[in-house]
Amino acid sequence: MGRSGELESVRVTRILRDDIVLGRRVPGSRLVERDIAAELNVSRLPVREAIRTLVAEGVVVARPRTWAVVREFTDRDIQDFAEVREAIETLIFVFAAERHDADGIARIRAAYERELAAANADDSEAARIAAAEFHEIAVELAANEMLGELIAVFLTRLRWLFGQHDDLLAMADEHRIILEAMTARDTVALRRIVPAHLASGQAAAQRRLAKAADLVV
């Protein structure tokens, strides 16, 4: 246990997950148990458990008898993810629009305002964290347990995708438009707006992937 009562394995998982989705550990980089254990001042066991969790979340690849590595996503990975995500997240925002209360709208608006403030300050890390929170709060407001379970399967990859956005102000503005439609309970508009917003995130991820490939060449 850490000082806050958080299990060491949970803490290590959280730190490594954030490092990956926020780009501190780049795709293809090695996750060496002994090095991470020394860096975080823990034994190797919680590091091993954290890596196992991140493999299950789809952002780390285990390689038998060698180091695990941060997953290198392909165009096909992004395409497959986007197809599933569009169907699920459109439903989430539609249900959130239908079922939200004043407190729920206040919470998601606060996430948007944090994102906008961070984008204006050119704080990319804080903006991307708030952007992910915007979507996570929408899941809660949708109040559909099965949808929540489905999106939990790829939540870490969802956060990774948002980490690919470079135009932070544009992303925040897309969230403003979604927020306005949610507040008005305009589900017809959301069925049009949300897929366009998700396509924007997909395009940003693909541009980042292509840029990385050019650097390798």
Side-chain angles (χ1 to χ4, degrees):
M1 290 282 193
R3 291 182 181 177
S4 65
E6 186 178 36
L7 286 172
E8 289 287 17
S9 60
V10 174
R11 182 176 72 88
V12 173
T13 302
R14 173 174 52 78
I15 291 170
L16 292 180
R17 182 188 294 119
D18 286 346
D19 282 351
I20 291 168
V21 300
L22 294 173
R24 301 175 194 140
R25 296 181 188 269
V26 300
S29 60
R30 300 185 301 183
L31 300 175
V32 183
E33 287 183 13
R34 65 173 180 273
D35 293 347
I36 295 171
E39 176 187 338
L40 301 180
N41 194 30
V42 296
S43 70
R44 293 175 64 169
L45 180 58
V47 176
R48 189 173 303 128
E49 292 174 352
I51 289 173
R52 188 178 300 119
T53 297
L54 295 172
V55 168
E57 292 180 3
V59 292
V60 168
V61 176
R63 294 181 174 173
R65 294 180 294 279
T66 186
W67 296 285
V69 298
V70 178
R71 181 174 175 178
E72 297 180 86
F73 287 89
T74 65
D75 275 324
R76 182 56 187 266
D77 289 330
I78 295 171
Q79 179 64 35
D80 289 348
F81 178 41
E83 289 172 354
V84 174
R85 184 182 170 216
E86 179 181 329
I88 294 175
E89 281 214 78
T90 299
L91 279 177
I92 283 170
F93 278 102
V94 166
F95 289 156
E98 293 173 341
R99 299 170 182 175
H100 71 74
D101 56 16
D103 178 66
I105 281 293
R107 288 173 58 217
I108 200 166
R109 186 181 301 280
Y112 157 71
E113 290 173 352
R114 288 194 300 274
E115 178 188 2
L116 180 61
N120 279 320
D122 201 27
D123 185 343
S124 60
E125 188 167 302
R128 288 163 182 161
I129 289 171
E133 288 175 356
F134 183 91
H135 282 253
E136 289 164 13
I137 294 169
V139 175
E140 296 176 27
L141 300 186
N144 183 296
E145 186 175 339
M146 183 167 289
L147 277 178
E149 290 174 358
L150 287 172
I151 203 164
V153 172
F154 56 85
L155 185 59
T156 301
R157 279 168 283 182
L158 171 63
R159 290 187 61 203
W160 175 85
L161 186 63
F162 271 109
Q164 310 312 301
H165 262 287
D166 289 319
D167 193 339
L168 302 175
L169 285 170
M171 181 167 59
D173 195 55
E174 290 177 13
H175 283 163
R176 175 188 60 79
I177 294 168
I178 291 172
L179 177 59
E180 289 173 353
M182 283 182 60
T183 303
R185 302 187 191 275
D186 189 347
T187 58
V188 173
L190 285 168
R191 290 184 185 276
R192 180 185 71 255
I193 294 166
V194 173
H197 169 62
L198 300 180
S200 174
Q202 177 186 351
Q206 289 171 326
R207 286 194 299 272
R208 181 71 64 86
L209 192 65
K211 184 177 179 181
D214 288 342
L215 290 174
V216 170
V217 173

